[in-house]
């Protein structure tokens, strides 16, 4: 009896509202696209103010003369050290390329080609830790410039390892000598322009340039760089560049510029940095695989060929 009266006295429970999971994937994608279009329109509309914003940023930059001078001095020192080390080890590289056994020639040439970069990277580490430590802690501009120079020198080293100017029998890309030298020379220049562009945008950001003008400046610089890259690739087609590699490089350049612009418009470079890391890993794996394949084709010893073939299969399996 008491149980029946208790059940009757209990108030009816209100229905539980369904859990709100937030907007679905399509709605979120639409919001992101709308945000991108809005910020892109703001950047385009800031074009008339771009000269004035550049003048204001240029007026603020001289206040950081010490950091700017230290950055330029450190960068020139690292580039000079790389050039001197490369010049002094040139004879060793040529001698290593002429070794009797192709595998030994490839390994020795790679080691001597990496020596200038490793020396420069060690010098950059010493500069940041012991020489420019206080200035690098005050402003990240000094550290960014030094790291940009190191990254550029690493890119130049990779181009040298792949293109092998003057060493045609160990070249990893199907290009003639003229094309290899053009690709190395202009590739190094375009990579330097890319690093200089990133450093200039970082300096303008620290100088207080408005975000729409900064995004517009990044778009103009990236578009110019893309045009130069496409022009270089079209010239390399006449020097033996395969259509498949040409197509892949074109789409890679376009995708890189699109993600770069997306990062500046949305103020989030995660997609660009992730794509860059993925591309670097793929390029290193392809260069290593091509080195083993070239060593197999040049080797005249069956035992060495079998060993290299097994190593190539194992490396490909690990990469997959």
């Amino acid at each position: 009896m008491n149980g029946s009266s208790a059940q009757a006295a209990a108030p009816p429970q209100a229905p539980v509202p369904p859990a709100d999971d937030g907007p679905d994937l399509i709605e979120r994608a639409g919001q992101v696209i709308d945000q991108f279009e809005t910020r892109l329109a703001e950047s385009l509309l800031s074009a008339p103010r771009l000269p004035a914003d550049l003048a204001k940023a240029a007026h603020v930059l001289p206040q950081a003369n010490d950091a700017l001078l230290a950055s330029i001095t450190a960068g020139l020192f690292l580039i000079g050290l790389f050039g001197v080390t490369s010049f002094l080890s040139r004879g060793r590289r040529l001698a290593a390329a002429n070794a009797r056994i192709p595998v030994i020639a490839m390994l020795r040439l790679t080691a001597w080609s990496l020596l200038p970069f490793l020396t420069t990277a060690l010098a950059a580490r010493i500069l940041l830790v012991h020489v420019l430590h206080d200035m690098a802690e005050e402003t990240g501009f000094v550290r960014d410039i030094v790291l940009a120079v190191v990254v550029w020198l690493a890119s130049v080293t990779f181009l040298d390892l792949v293109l092998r100017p003057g060493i045609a029998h160990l070249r990893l890309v199907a290009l003639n000598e003229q094309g290899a030298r053009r690709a190395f020379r202009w590739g190094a220049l375009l990579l330097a322009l890319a690093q200089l562009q990133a450093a200039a945008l970082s300096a303008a950001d620290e100088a207080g340039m408005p975000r729409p003008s900064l995004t517009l400046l990044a778009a103009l610089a990236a578009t110019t760089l893309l045009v130069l890259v496409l022009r270089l690739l079209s010239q390399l087609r006449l020097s033996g560049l395969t259509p498949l590699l040409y197509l892949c490089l074109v789409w890679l350049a376009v995708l890189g510029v699109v993600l770069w612009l997306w990062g500046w418009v949305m103020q989030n470079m995660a997609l660009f940095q992730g794509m860059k890391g993925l591309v670097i890993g793929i390029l290193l794996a392809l260069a290593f695989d091509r080195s083993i394949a070239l060593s197999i084709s040049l080797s005249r010893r069956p035992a060495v060929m079998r060993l290299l073939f097994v190593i190539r299969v194992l490396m490909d399996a690990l990469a997959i």
Side-chain angles (χ1 to χ4, degrees):
M1 187 72 180
N2 292 334
S4 301
S5 60
Q7 291 179 358
Q13 295 182 354
V16 180
D20 186 11
D21 295 334
D24 58 7
L25 183 60
I26 298 178
E27 292 181 359
R28 268 184 275 184
Q31 293 173 1
V32 171
I33 293 175
D34 292 340
Q35 186 180 10
F36 176 80
E37 292 177 349
T38 302
R39 293 184 178 182
L40 183 61
E42 292 177 356
S43 301
L44 295 176
L45 293 175
S46 67
R49 302 192 306 271
L50 184 60
D53 292 338
L54 282 173
K56 291 180 182 178
H59 180 70
V60 174
L61 281 179
Q63 300 177 4
N65 269 340
D66 294 338
L68 187 61
L69 181 60
S71 304
I72 294 175
T73 304
L76 292 177
F77 170 76
L78 293 176
I79 295 174
L81 178 62
F82 181 86
V84 171
T85 310
S86 299
F87 177 77
L88 294 177
S89 61
R90 175 178 171 79
R92 293 286 187 176
R93 291 199 303 271
L94 295 177
N98 294 325
R100 293 182 179 180
I101 303 176
V103 180
I104 301 300
M106 188 74 69
L107 292 176
R108 288 180 179 176
L109 180 59
T110 302
W112 283 108
S113 298
L114 290 175
L115 177 63
F117 169 71
L118 295 178
T119 304
T120 308
L122 179 61
R125 173 69 177 173
I126 294 174
L127 283 176
L128 288 177
V129 173
H130 299 286
V131 181
L132 302 174
H133 176 71
D134 296 336
M135 193 170 294
E137 284 191 346
E138 291 178 2
T139 173
F141 182 71
V142 177
R143 183 182 63 255
D144 293 341
I145 291 296
V146 173
L147 292 180
V149 171
V150 173
V151 170
W152 176 65
L153 294 177
S155 305
V156 172
T157 302
F158 180 77
L159 287 178
D160 181 63
L161 290 172
V162 172
L163 298 173
R164 309 286 194 192
I167 311 175
H169 65 286
L170 296 180
R171 189 168 298 144
L172 304 183
V173 180
L175 287 173
N176 55 30
E177 184 62 29
Q178 182 182 3
R181 292 186 180 277
R182 178 186 290 116
F184 178 77
R185 182 171 60 252
W186 283 99
L189 179 60
L190 292 176
L191 289 170
L193 290 177
Q195 294 296 331
L196 183 62
Q197 165 193 333
L201 290 173
S202 177
D205 192 14
E206 290 191 3
M209 178 177 284
R211 179 61 59 171
S213 298
L214 196 62
T215 302
L216 180 61
L217 188 63
L220 294 175
T223 304
T224 303
L225 192 62
L226 177 62
V227 171
L228 294 176
V229 170
L230 295 180
R231 181 176 179 273
L232 174 62
L233 292 177
S234 64
Q235 292 177 348
L236 292 181
R237 290 189 65 184
L238 304 176
S239 300
L241 189 66
T242 60
L244 178 60
L245 184 56
Y246 169 78
L247 184 63
C248 292
L249 292 176
V250 167
W251 279 107
L252 186 62
V254 173
L255 179 62
V257 170
V258 170
L259 293 182
W260 171 262
L261 295 180
W262 175 274
W264 276 104
V265 172
M266 302 302 293
Q267 303 179 21
N268 186 358
M269 302 297 290
L271 283 177
F272 176 78
Q273 295 296 340
M275 189 274 292
K276 185 172 70 172
L278 178 63
V279 169
I280 291 175
I282 293 175
L283 290 178
L284 290 176
L286 290 176
F288 184 75
D289 180 77
R290 178 58 182 163
S291 300
I292 297 179
L294 184 60
S295 300
I296 293 174
S297 63
L298 295 176
S299 180
R300 299 177 181 177
R301 299 183 179 184
V304 176
M305 295 175 65
R306 287 194 296 268
L307 177 61
L308 291 175
F309 182 78
V310 172
I311 293 175
R312 186 185 184 190
V313 171
L314 291 176
M315 295 304 299
D316 291 343
L318 290 175
I320 294 175

